[in-house]
Each structure stands twice: as structure tokens, then as C-alpha cells.
Amino acid sequence: MAGIKRASDGQASAAKRSKQDVLSRDLLEAMEKDELGSHILSLQSQILITSHQAPPSPPATPGLSPEEVHHKASKARDMMAKGIKSQMKTGGARFSYSGVVASPQVFLKLFRLGVDWKKKQLQFDPADFQHTTGTDIATSIRYGRLNVTGKNVTVRWVPNELTFTVTGSY
């Protein structure tokens, strides 16, 4: 009995084929109508399973009024300036500030960008950065003052997480 092989039936071959990633055109054309139907059904169930396993998107913020957008942007601007200033110590170095906003509209308002702006990174000249954000990002030290300097201030935007990162040097 151990050496006897059983002939495979059509259902077993259809189950094996449905587990394969890609079937060639010849295999699909050689399938019987029932096998092809079961293969299609198994593919549809796999699609349903994977669509339910997609990562959840962040909760949608209800429409903010223009006053709320302005208020949240100014609050985010103040927090960003305070966070960058707190990193400014003696001598010159790099700073990095990460922030979270309530909606994409707040981010656009924070950096005075148009509604059609879709990029994920932008760069400012240090003077333009301070002009755009409307804050003087400088701090006094013992015998002098530290300002944002360097070639560029880079802002990276992650729209699906509603986070941004500002990096530069002082």
C-alpha cells in the first residue's frame, strides 16, 4: 500500500493551481470551466482578505474653518520656533524639529503654500524660511546671538501621517 500512488482528481489540481502566484496562458486555457471558476473564486477571496489587511488611514479631520486653520497654524509655528530655539546651544550645529498638524490645510497655511502643492519636500533659504514662517528664529547666548544659517532649511512632509520635519543649521 505504501508504494501505491493514487491518481489525482481535478479538485486537487485546481487547489494546487489556485495557490500558485501566476498561471501561464496555456494553463488557463487548458483548465476546464469548473476549475477556472474555482480558481477565479479563490483569487477573489485572496483579494478580499488582503484588502481587509491594509493599514488603517489616519482619522479624517472634519472640515476646519479658516479661523481654526489660522489658529492651528500659528500655534504650530510658535511650537516649531520654540523647538528649534531650544536646540540652539553654543557654537554652530544642525537642528531637526518634527511636528504634527491637524490637517494638510494647516501645513499649507504654516508654510504659506498653495492648495495645489503636492510635493513631499521643500527647501528654503534661511532668510526666506524666517520670512515665510513669520518668526525670528534666533537665540541669545552668553556673548552673542545664534541665528539660522547654512545653505538651506529643508522641510519634509509626510501627508498620510500629517507630520513634518524641519532640518537646517545654525
Side-chain angles (χ1 to χ4, degrees):
M1 287 260 184
I4 300 174
K5 292 185 179 179
R6 295 185 332 165
S8 65
D9 56 348
Q11 293 177 346
S13 64
K16 281 184 180 178
R17 286 184 191 142
S18 67
K19 291 181 182 177
Q20 292 177 346
D21 291 339
V22 178
L23 294 178
S24 69
R25 185 178 187 100
D26 295 334
L27 284 175
L28 289 172
E29 288 175 354
M31 283 183 162
E32 294 180 10
K33 193 173 188 179
D34 294 335
E35 284 181 297
L36 191 58
S38 65
H39 180 69
I40 291 170
L41 290 174
S42 68
L43 289 175
Q44 286 177 342
S45 66
Q46 289 175 4
I47 289 171
L48 285 174
I49 289 170
T50 56
S51 68
H52 290 303
Q53 293 174 347
S57 59
T61 305
L64 297 173
S65 68
E67 294 83 21
E68 289 175 316
V69 169
H70 179 73
H71 175 70
K72 289 182 184 286
S74 65
K75 191 172 182 178
R77 182 178 298 117
D78 294 341
M79 289 174 51
M80 178 182 61
K82 187 175 180 180
I84 292 172
K85 286 179 184 179
S86 69
Q87 296 178 37
M88 292 178 153
K89 304 293 181 203
T90 308
R94 295 197 50 82
F95 66 86
S96 176
Y97 174 79
S98 296
V100 179
V101 292
S103 72
Q105 292 83 12
V106 175
F107 175 78
L108 296 174
K109 179 77 171 178
L110 176 63
F111 292 104
R112 298 180 185 181
L113 300 170
V115 179
D116 57 342
W117 189 81
K118 301 291 182 203
K119 296 179 183 178
K120 294 186 179 181
Q121 180 173 326
L122 61 133
Q123 292 185 339
F124 291 102
D125 179 70
D128 290 340
F129 176 72
Q130 292 189 26
H131 175 73
T132 301
T133 57
T135 58
D136 180 31
I137 302 177
T139 186
S140 61
I141 56 172
R142 189 171 194 161
Y143 297 111
R145 189 166 172 84
L146 295 175
N147 295 311
V148 175
T149 60
K151 190 175 181 182
N152 289 320
V153 175
T154 304
V155 179
R156 287 183 186 85
W157 169 239
V158 183
N160 57 347
E161 296 176 5
L162 299 177
T163 60
F164 66 95
T165 304
V166 180
T167 57
S169 57
Y170 62 92

